[in-house]
Amino acid sequence: MNITVIGGGIIGLCSAYSLSKAGHEVTVIDSGTCGAGASEGNAGWMVPALSQPFNAPGAMSDAIKAMLHPDSAIRFQTLPNVDFLKWVALFYRNSSQVNSAAARQALVALNDQTIELFDKLLLDVKVEVHNEGLLLPFRTQAGMEGFLASHAQIQQAGYAGRALNITPETLSTMEPDLAPGMVGGVHLVDEKSVRPESFTAGLVTWLRSAGARILENCTVRKLKKTPGGWSIETDNGTQKADQVVVAAGAASARILRTTGVKLALEPGRGCSITVTDGPVLNRPVKLADVRVACTPFETGTRFSGTFDFAGHTGSSSVGRMKSVLRHASHYFPALADLEPTATQVWSGLRPCTPDSVPYIGAVPDKPGLLVATGHGTLGMTLGPVTGDAIAGIVGNEPIPPHIRACALDRPQVRLI
Ligand SMILES: Cc1cc2nc3c(=O)[nH]c(=O)nc-3n(C[C@H](O)[C@H](O)[C@H](O)COP(=O)(O)OP(=O)(O)OC[C@H]3O[C@@H](n4cnc5c(N)ncnc54)[C@H](O)[C@@H]3O)c2cc1C
């Protein structure tokens, strides 16, 4: 079958990979360069252990408090429009104890095969991978207890990876650049990390060698059903395909709208900086209290954070990056000396659903139109699972329950 994937981020490329492996003729279309969207400057964690949804009891009041704090990790910088208000209403409904637990269960189930499928993909695709797990140091007992309670919920939902309690002494041996005064930490031993750019570049290289067509700098404007499939109108002419997978990250809802399909999807902007000076880290570190991700690569270390509802345009300011570094410097004092410049600061849009569960599946009543988006903070992690699911759906395989939970028409993402 001739299949076009719209969007060359981690989700589109993993979908294209699995579809190519299944023997389909694949085209990837990207409005820019493949891998240059949200999938570029992110933290690169492959972390099934972090399957906790954002929608949770207290999340709305936390968000309101955050609005009043200019230095907060979460910020609202957009004028509310109808779509955003609908999204917020759905988020609120999904934040009840019961609905949040259902979302957690769905994410843990979705992540069940993450590492297995990622390891399988590594047999074909060259990626910079690190296997040192994820370390969470804590400055307060309350912060550590809060994380342990949250992690117990993930374990109850079926996560089977190891979580080791780390004493303050061991913490400073593991990460000598950490500030003194930590009360302890947790080491999630089985988590992995990648250099995100190497993951997407590796996929593009593999896809080209497998004969896939990659069309870059080609923006999709409109999708139209034709008798035999779909016509894809781009600013470089029209393409034809038997089936189409919309995997355009935060822009997916706009593209789908041209077919009359409405998707509750909002962009959540985050930023990062990658430096070769600063503190030395031996493994990825999550500063949970201040919501900062630190990832060491073969060359350089990346610090990322912030979650800004700021619409689709613009980019993160140096000020937002400074805020991330200021918070992180309480853990890694060497960061206090870093002065980010505008050219160093990267920002990207996380495609966010109101229940933290992605959209993976066929569009009801639109034969041959599929969607893979809405992975929020877990897109790198869920790439291989999503690609595998898309290939299964195109191949008419029975849809397993953990993928059915990502259906576009699930009640969790519909207001009525
Ligand atoms: C600061 C930060 C840190 C993060 N850290 C992690 C992490 O550690 N682990 C993790 O799992 N996730 C992480 N994430 C989330 C992850 O980056 C995203 O979920 C993921 O990259 C989304 O991938 P995507 O392919 O859906 O979107 P994108 O990577 O944004 O790709 C979408 C592509 O579609 C293209 N496109 C858009 N419109 C059109 C159009 N009209 N026509 C053609 N092409 C189009 C774009 O050019 C883009 O290349 C982080 C995100 C941020 C912002």
Side-chain angles (χ1 to χ4, degrees), residues 7 9-11 30-31 38-39 42-45 220 248 251 376-381:
I10 193 65
I11 300 300
D30 197 285
S31 51
S39 305
N42 64 69
W45 296 352
V220 172
T377 58
L378 286 174
M380 299 309 290
T381 307

Side-chain angles (χ1 to χ4, degrees), residues 61-415:
S61 55
D62 285 352
I64 291 165
K65 275 185 224 148
M67 275 196 268
L68 307 172
H69 248 280
D71 207 23
S72 155
I74 302 169
R75 243 174 50 178
F76 293 83
Q77 295 172 306
T78 180
L79 288 175
N81 55 51
V82 174
D83 289 341
F84 183 65
L85 293 174
K86 277 188 192 162
W87 189 96
V88 171
L90 287 166
F91 181 86
Y92 178 67
R93 198 177 68 194
N94 282 302
S95 294
S96 70
Q97 193 107 39
V98 171
N99 293 348
S100 175
R104 184 186 314 123
Q105 195 69 53
L107 287 173
V108 170
L110 200 52
N111 261 320
D112 191 44
Q113 282 187 293
T114 285
I115 299 298
E116 184 189 327
L117 288 173
F118 176 58
D119 284 345
K120 210 164 143 194
L121 177 146
L122 291 179
L123 299 175
D124 290 323
V125 180
K126 195 165 172 277
V127 185
E128 179 186 325
V129 188
H130 300 266
N131 296 303
E132 289 85 18
L134 179 67
L135 183 68
L136 294 94
F138 292 95
R139 294 173 72 217
T140 65
Q141 204 61 44
M144 183 147 155
E145 280 164 15
F147 173 77
L148 289 173
S150 159
H151 190 66
Q153 293 178 328
I154 299 289
Q155 288 173 317
Q156 275 160 19
Y159 171 77
R162 290 164 294 167
L164 306 182
N165 278 333
I166 305 293
T167 62
E169 296 72 36
T170 310
L171 258 186
S172 45
T173 317
M174 289 172 83
E175 296 297 340
D177 278 5
L178 262 178
M182 300 291 147
V183 298
V186 177
H187 188 198
L188 300 169
V189 182
D190 298 306
E191 309 306 278
K192 292 178 188 265
S193 60
V194 297
R195 178 128 194 173
E197 305 93 308
S198 78
F199 196 175
T200 49
L203 282 162
V204 169
T205 302
W206 185 89
L207 283 165
R208 286 207 164 106
S209 71
R213 277 199 318 154
I214 311 268
L215 307 180
E216 297 186 309
N217 302 310
C218 181
T219 301
V220 172
R221 301 283 177 205
K222 198 171 178 183
L223 300 177
K224 259 196 204 156
K225 183 85 191 88
T226 61
W230 286 85
S231 112
I232 304 143
E233 292 179 15
T234 79
D235 53 5
N236 290 343
T238 301
Q239 305 281 328
K240 302 266 176 229
D242 299 327
Q243 300 209 12
V244 172
V245 181
V246 178
S252 300
R254 285 181 183 174
I255 296 172
L256 285 163
R257 209 166 263 242
T258 66
T259 68
V261 174
K262 285 189 183 167
L263 215 57
L265 190 75
E266 286 295 323
R269 189 180 300 283
C271 63
S272 74
I273 189 167
T274 309
V275 294
T276 46
D277 45 2
V280 175
L281 272 71
N282 294 318
R283 55 185 60 68
V285 173
K286 177 178 165 84
L287 308 176
D289 291 339
V290 291
R291 299 176 194 257
V292 176
C294 319
T295 321
F297 299 132
E298 280 167 15
T299 52
T301 304
R302 183 166 292 167
F303 298 92
S304 57
T306 65
F307 200 109
D308 296 344
F309 288 102
H312 285 265
T313 50
S315 58
S316 283
S317 64
V318 171
R320 290 303 274 152
M321 196 66 239
K322 277 186 179 168
S323 163
V324 170
L325 294 174
R326 194 164 42 245
H327 286 302
S329 67
H330 297 134
Y331 293 80
F332 292 108
L335 289 175
D337 301 331
L338 267 182
E339 271 299 325
T341 60
T343 48
Q344 286 176 306
V345 178
W346 171 90
S347 74
L349 300 176
R350 306 171 181 94
C352 300
T353 65
D355 63 350
S356 305
V357 176
Y359 297 118
I360 306 171
V363 178
D365 304 325
K366 307 264 181 216
L369 183 60
L370 289 88
V371 174
T373 191
H375 296 74
T377 58
L378 286 174
M380 299 309 290
T381 307
L382 289 169
V385 169
T386 303
D388 187 64
I390 288 292
I393 295 166
V394 169
N396 282 324
E397 289 170 17
I399 302 175
H402 64 281
I403 302 302
R404 261 189 274 132
C406 304
L408 276 70
D409 57 352
R410 59 186 184 265
Q412 289 89 336
V413 293
R414 281 186 288 136
L415 267 183

